[in-house]
Each structure stands twice: as structure tokens, then as C-alpha cells.
Amino acid sequence: MVILGIDPGVATVGFGIIKETGGNPSPMRHGVITTPAGMRLALRLMHIHDDVTELIKTFKPDAIAVEELFFNTNLKTAVSVAHGRAAAILAGEQLGIQMFEYTPLQIKKAVAGYGHATKKQVMGMVRRLLSMEHDPQPDDAADALAVAICHARYAHSLLNIEGGNVCSTI
């Protein structure tokens, strides 16, 4: 199964593509989609949408896993991230790829075994689980790989088989 993980944003969208075979995930590609700060929001969203669409067409994922919004105290940041998240979700939906979403707690637990793991612990486990020589960079790409690994681990659970985390249920 090929999984595209997305760590949403507007300035930077992390992506990580893995192939999972028999419980063994391996990295295919990871990186970031960036948009300039001075660009109009609509153009930034179109850029994100177009780049995610290109990733989907190139790597043909079986599923897309997206990190759910984590609302902290900064409402402006949360709204901005929600815009970028929507652009990525729309690209997947238009191409008929099944979408799943996971909370930061679920992602950390699936990757590091502990829902309150630090960013450094998660990054180190991503490196180990994907048999990489170095921690994946930048951080947003590492986070996206963690989202993809999370889906690989949960994909066969009853929760996902019954559509518990499918984006279309929100």
C-alpha cells in the first residue's frame, strides 16, 4: 500500500510518501511544498492544491493521511493551517483517493508508542521505522512521514475498516 502523509499548513506543507508491505514501511519521497508569504491566499491555496495533485498523479497513493488540526491559542494560525489542509484534502477528493485523518496524539502513539512523545522522539522513531540513515528533514516532512506511518499502522484496524477516521465523515 502506498500512503501519502500530509502535515498541513499554508507557508509550508509537509509531505511524506511511504510504501507499506507486510508491516514494513519504506520511504519513497518526502519534502515540503512552500508558498511565499507575500502571495495572495487564494494563489497559495491553488499552489498547494496543484502540487498535492501532482504528487498524487506521480506516486498514485492508495490512501492519503492528513494530520487533524490542533487548536492552540493562536486562532489566526489555526485558520491558516485549516486553509492549507482544505486545499490538500480537496486535491485527494477530486482524484478519488480515500482520505484519513489522525490527531497529533494518535500519530505520536502510533510512531513512538507514547501519545505525548516529543518532536525529537517522533523524528527518531520515523528514522528507525523507515531505516533511514539520518532524521528526515525538514521537520514538516518528518511530521508528514509520521502521519503516513500512523496510517500504515491503523489501516487494518476495525476503526478504519468501518470508516472511523475517514475525512468524509467530518
Side-chain angles (χ1 to χ4, degrees):
M1 167 183 357
V2 175
I3 303 164
L4 169 59
I6 301 283
D7 180 43
V10 169
T12 306
V13 176
F15 69 87
I17 304 162
I18 66 168
K19 184 172 188 167
E20 190 269 337
T21 308
N24 296 316
S26 59
M28 293 178 71
R29 175 78 56 88
H30 64 278
V32 292
I33 299 165
T34 58
T35 62
M39 186 182 276
R40 285 191 354 236
L41 177 61
L43 294 177
R44 293 174 94 175
L45 297 177
M46 189 166 64
H47 178 76
I48 293 166
H49 176 273
D50 291 348
D51 282 6
V52 171
T53 297
E54 189 61 34
L55 285 170
I56 294 167
K57 288 180 178 180
T58 301
F59 292 96
K60 299 174 181 33
D62 300 296
I64 299 173
V66 182
E67 184 173 349
E68 279 188 12
L69 260 181
F70 173 73
F71 179 73
N72 202 345
T73 55
N74 190 338
L75 181 59
K76 185 177 181 180
T77 299
V79 170
S80 177
V81 170
H83 286 11
R85 187 172 180 276
I89 288 172
L90 177 61
E93 188 66 29
Q94 285 178 322
L95 294 172
I97 309 299
Q98 193 167 20
M99 308 283 293
F100 298 85
E101 58 181 358
Y102 297 95
T103 66
L105 186 83
Q106 287 174 306
I107 296 164
K108 290 176 182 181
K109 189 168 185 176
V111 174
Y114 175 59
H116 298 287
T118 66
K119 196 171 220 20
K120 185 175 180 172
Q121 289 170 321
V122 171
M123 192 179 288
M125 284 305 298
V126 166
R127 178 179 47 80
R128 286 180 197 89
L129 291 168
L130 297 178
S131 301
M132 300 172 82
E133 288 187 29
H134 305 286
D135 288 348
Q137 294 293 329
D139 289 355
D140 298 298
D143 291 345
L145 286 168
V147 176
I149 292 168
C150 176
H151 180 68
R153 296 217 160 164
Y154 285 125
H156 305 294
S157 76
L158 187 57
L159 178 65
N160 276 334
I161 290 168
E162 293 180 356
N165 282 347
V166 179
C167 284
S168 61
T169 63
I170 57 173

